[in-house]
Amino acid sequence: MMKSWHYEVAYQVYPKSFNDTKGDGSGDIPGVIEKLDYIKDLGIDVIWLSPVYRSPMKDNGYDISDYQDIDPSFGTMDDMRQLISKAKKRNIRIIMDLVINHSSDQHPWFLASASSKDDPKRDWYIWEEADEEGNPPNNLRTNFGGSCWTWHVGSQAYYFHSFTKEQPDLNWDNKDMREALYTMINWWIDQGIGGFRVDAITFIKKQFPWKQEPADSPDGTAKVQPNQPGIGKFLQEMKERCFTGKDIFTVAEAPGVPFSQYDEYAGVDGYFDMLIGFEHIDVDVNDNGRWYPSKDWHLSDYTKPLTEEQKAISEGGWTALYIENHDQPRSLSRFIPEAHQTDYSAKAVAVSYFFLKGMPYVYQGQEIGMTNVNWEDINQYDDIWTIDEYHTALREGFSHQTAIEAVKRRSRDHARTPMHWDDSLHAGFTSGTPWLPVNDNYQSVNAKQAQADDSSIRNFFKKMISLRKSDTYRETIAYGSYTHLVPDHDTVYVYTRSLKDQTVLVAVNFSATPQKLSQIQFKLNQHLFGNADHAWTKEVLNLDPFEAVVLDVTRLQSEY
Ligand code: GLC
């Protein structure tokens, strides 16, 4: 079924690091409004705004203490209304981040729940008694490390949390709690937003009955597992009560959903419109979720899951296409060895995911080729998850070197350093002191320069977006069938998208050596574009180091 947003492209704003208009070192909503034309000019239709709700900021806004108010550090509800309406004038929809697996421990619901065992909201969160020795019900470990159970002295019980102890999990088995969430969700839809990015939603169903889980870590703990049986009942109810029949779309962060369940989650009758999957991106994470010791990975660890995902949505499903967000390192740093990190190779990385079926997401700064920072000292980092990984690595006997290498590869702070607007002090992000230092390379990597230079990465993104939307190719790119060519190749990613008699071939060389793929034969109809400045005339895939091309071809063979 065709949807209005099937040709659309999204841009993620992490507001704390985007643009500060007040000079307090932290980005704000007026800062997003100020940059709407910059975003529109890229060709963007959707902005996913990371949380701006009232929050004690233990996890930068993913710990919400009031779902229906804006945190003063970001502005006011009036600023938010202005953002929605000014975006709408530019045909941009604002997608809010919906964090409903947990709230902040400062949310009035939790304060009431914790106030007494008899409080009417006691059951809105998950409380358990200690056993005879004072221990919690089991050995589950949170996504950020440490036990999922925190002892609450006031009410003499443990409460459950899948993330930090300041983010207690809501109890979805409680109907009143669910009703309160649905009222809140519908209130936001009434404010004119275009949909939701639904945070960590696969964690809402708990691992009942509680029992010791098989340990996956030397300390005897087991990481909390998402997507528990029975979750569908809640997701279906939320869809019916809040989403069905509205002019919105939903994109769910869905760790733990296997490709075999994509149809149930994001097929034609799915709970959501599209998913944020992890298989293609968690290439460098160990089986127990740890970032250390470093894990060798190959290009096929990225391309094969993408292929599985494309197959899983082939019957009318949809997905979020992304290689960066606020939880991931910068893609240029992840995919390209340091010596080869240039505008040229950044464009190649961008091509690799951009013409798949789904909605492409561009993360702030990705369009100008921002890279990871190189901080050697753990004290320079802010992110709670990063700090936990580092210290746990040391506790488990790994060296500082191994621990910091993991952090330098994988920290969430790489994506959270302030956006580079220009080459002035603090990259034009703030007139004050930025909450997290800017990356040293802002003088050569910044939006002002990228806008002025025809051959910049940003202008390349503009071209990719306009090709996706062009009258000639948009149907094929939105709905064409997908074939992964030379699927076992560990240095090139080649795929085609075909519809009726049109085939678009996308080829990316991820290596520093030329690649010749003479087994792939085609008749060249048109060179659509590539990262090299010369036109492509060859009918054989001879790719230069880090070269990417997008071609309109007639394929001469059906299988490779
Ligand atoms: C999601 C968010 C992440 C946050 C976590 C807890 O994974 O993307 O930033 O820390 O949920 O809300």
Side-chain angles (χ1 to χ4, degrees):
M1 209 197 333
M2 229 218 102
K3 295 277 173 64
S4 62
W5 38 264
H6 276 175
Y7 301 134
E8 297 187 352
V9 178
Y11 187 87
Q12 184 191 349
V13 170
Y14 192 70
K16 190 166 179 175
S17 304
F18 192 59
N19 184 28
D20 171 23
T21 58
K22 295 191 303 297
D24 62 357
S26 188
D28 45 51
I29 295 172
V32 184
I33 296 175
E34 201 173 271
K35 298 296 181 185
L36 279 175
D37 287 332
Y38 170 87
I39 296 172
K40 187 67 207 175
D41 180 63
L42 252 186
I44 296 297
D45 317 276
V46 176
I47 293 176
W48 154 18
L49 190 64
S50 278
V52 288
Y53 312 91
R54 197 175 273 273
S55 164
M57 299 287 165
K58 295 290 176 196
D59 187 18
N60 288 350
Y62 283 88
D63 48 320
I64 297 171
S65 56
D66 187 343
Y67 286 103
Q68 287 172 249
D69 200 4
I70 301 297
D71 195 82
S73 67
F74 292 126
T76 62
M77 195 59 212
D78 189 51
D79 293 329
M80 189 63 216
R81 291 202 177 96
Q82 290 220 30
L83 173 61
I84 295 168
S85 79
K86 290 188 172 161
K88 204 167 267 174
K89 281 205 186 96
R90 292 164 173 85
N91 280 324
I92 296 178
R93 57 169 100 215
I94 301 286
I95 303 296
M96 295 286 278
D97 217 309
L98 186 61
V99 189
I100 49 178
N101 172 68
H102 45 269
S103 72
S104 158
D105 64 348
Q106 298 307 307
H107 194 292
W109 295 347
F110 185 76
L111 296 177
S113 181
S115 67
S116 138
K117 287 186 175 153
D118 303 321
D119 190 273
K121 291 198 171 61
R122 180 64 171 180
D123 198 33
W124 284 35
Y125 293 82
I126 297 161
W127 296 95
E128 294 289 346
E129 304 291 319
D131 69 12
E132 296 88 72
E133 275 123 52
N135 295 317
N138 67 7
N139 59 338
L140 283 179
R141 180 178 80 244
T142 79
N143 284 286
F144 297 154
S147 172
C148 282
W149 298 100
T150 290
W151 181 248
H152 190 263
V153 178
S155 61
Q156 292 291 297
Y158 283 102
Y159 66 89
F160 181 85
H161 49 95
S162 302
F163 295 88
T164 68
K165 66 179 184 344
E166 292 89 0
Q167 293 166 299
D169 280 31
L170 289 156
N171 180 12
W172 276 70
D173 281 314
N174 184 292
K175 187 151 191 331
D176 294 342
M177 190 292 292
R178 298 202 305 277
E179 288 299 327
L181 286 183
Y182 301 155
T183 305
M184 175 278 287
I185 294 170
N186 283 317
W187 180 85
W188 271 108
I189 296 173
D190 291 343
Q191 307 305 307
I193 61 164
F196 296 102
R197 177 267 186 184
V198 191
D199 185 71
I201 194 66
T202 45
F203 286 97
I204 61 173
K205 178 83 187 161
K206 310 306 170 198
Q207 282 160 270
F208 298 136
W210 302 123
K211 58 175 175 14
Q212 285 299 106
E213 299 290 344
D216 63 11
S217 175
D219 64 0
T221 59
K223 191 166 181 211
V224 57
Q225 292 303 320
N227 198 26
Q228 292 295 316
I231 188 174
K233 190 179 100 206
F234 298 141
L235 300 180
Q236 183 64 26
E237 182 184 84
M238 174 164 67
K239 175 185 167 188
E240 284 164 13
R241 296 292 306 280
C242 304
F243 306 147
T244 308
K246 314 261 174 75
D247 179 23
I248 58 163
F249 74 79
T250 55
V251 45
E253 189 193 31
V257 175
F259 294 122
S260 57
Q261 266 189 295
Y262 261 53
D263 214 39
E264 177 187 338
Y265 267 85
V268 178
D269 294 317
Y271 310 127
F272 302 104
D273 291 305
M274 61 187 101
L275 297 187
I276 298 174
F278 284 82
E279 297 273 330
H280 72 290
I281 207 76
D282 276 346
V283 289
D284 49 5
V285 177
N286 291 292
D287 289 344
N288 62 357
R290 293 297 188 191
W291 304 349
Y292 57 86
S294 74
K295 186 182 161 200
D296 271 350
W297 62 276
H298 303 280
L299 186 65
S300 58
D301 297 328
Y302 166 64
T303 60
K304 285 193 168 171
L306 284 178
T307 297
E308 289 295 307
E309 189 178 47
Q310 292 288 295
K311 279 193 208 145
I313 59 164
S314 61
E315 301 292 323
W318 211 252
T319 196
L321 305 169
Y322 77 101
I323 50 174
E324 283 190 26
N325 64 31
H326 66 292
D327 294 330
Q328 297 292 334
R330 292 292 184 175
S331 57
L332 182 55
S333 305
R334 167 182 259 152
F335 286 101
I336 304 291
E338 202 170 340
H340 301 285
Q341 287 169 12
T342 59
D343 284 11
Y344 187 77
S345 57
K347 292 173 189 170
V349 173
V351 167
S352 71
Y353 81 109
F354 222 80
F355 298 102
L356 296 167
K357 179 181 182 185
M359 180 179 283
Y361 286 69
V362 181
Y363 178 69
Q364 65 185 45
Q366 181 185 352
E367 78 281 15
I368 54 170
M370 284 181 66
T371 53
N372 289 355
V373 290
N374 204 16
W375 302 335
E376 294 288 342
D377 182 347
I378 191 63
N379 295 318
Q380 292 172 282
Y381 292 84
D382 170 83
D383 169 35
I384 37 177
W385 189 0
T386 300
I387 293 165
D388 177 80
E389 285 292 318
Y390 176 83
H391 290 295
T392 312
L394 295 190
R395 263 201 314 279
E396 289 179 9
F398 291 95
S399 65
H400 159 78
Q401 210 45 39
T402 302
I404 205 75
E405 283 303 322
V407 165
K408 283 166 67 178
R409 216 171 359 88
R410 199 70 183 66
S411 172
R412 302 196 297 177
D413 285 335
H414 296 305
R416 298 175 179 189
T417 62
M419 172 74 185
H420 298 174
W421 293 108
D422 57 37
D423 61 4
S424 67
L425 185 65
H426 305 312
F429 162 71
T430 180
S431 58
T433 306
W435 72 277
L436 197 63
V438 294
N439 192 318
D440 290 342
N441 62 9
Y442 71 93
Q443 279 169 329
S444 53
V445 176
N446 63 64
K448 188 172 171 201
Q449 186 165 311
Q451 280 175 289
D453 173 5
D454 275 351
S455 66
S456 68
I457 305 170
R458 186 178 187 278
N459 282 320
F460 192 78
F461 266 97
K462 280 177 81 165
K463 275 194 222 157
M464 293 202 295
I465 294 172
S466 56
L467 182 72
R468 270 197 82 105
K469 294 182 176 186
S470 67
D471 289 345
T472 319
Y473 292 102
R474 65 180 191 177
E475 295 276 311
T476 300
I477 295 168
Y479 304 114
S481 63
Y482 166 92
T483 310
H484 186 184
L485 310 184
V486 292
D488 293 319
H489 212 293
D490 261 342
T491 42
V492 296
Y493 183 27
V494 189
Y495 60 87
T496 53
R497 304 293 315 284
S498 304
L499 192 75
K500 298 180 195 137
D501 53 3
Q502 190 176 62
T503 294
V504 173
L505 183 147
V506 177
V508 183
N509 180 4
F510 278 85
S511 76
T513 43
Q515 299 291 332
K516 181 167 183 179
L517 299 165
S518 39
Q519 68 272 47
I520 297 178
Q521 295 181 13
F522 55 86
K523 180 174 156 311
L524 179 67
N525 301 323
Q526 202 187 336
H527 169 233
L528 298 173
F529 67 96
N531 55 353
D533 49 16
H534 54 261
W536 176 286
T537 51
K538 299 171 268 193
E539 299 214 329
V540 59
L541 278 181
N542 279 349
L543 295 165
D544 287 341
F546 304 107
E547 182 164 20
V549 282
V550 183
L551 309 173
D552 178 330
V553 302
T554 304
R555 282 181 51 196
L556 301 182
Q557 271 175 256
S558 54
E559 298 296 331
Y560 299 100

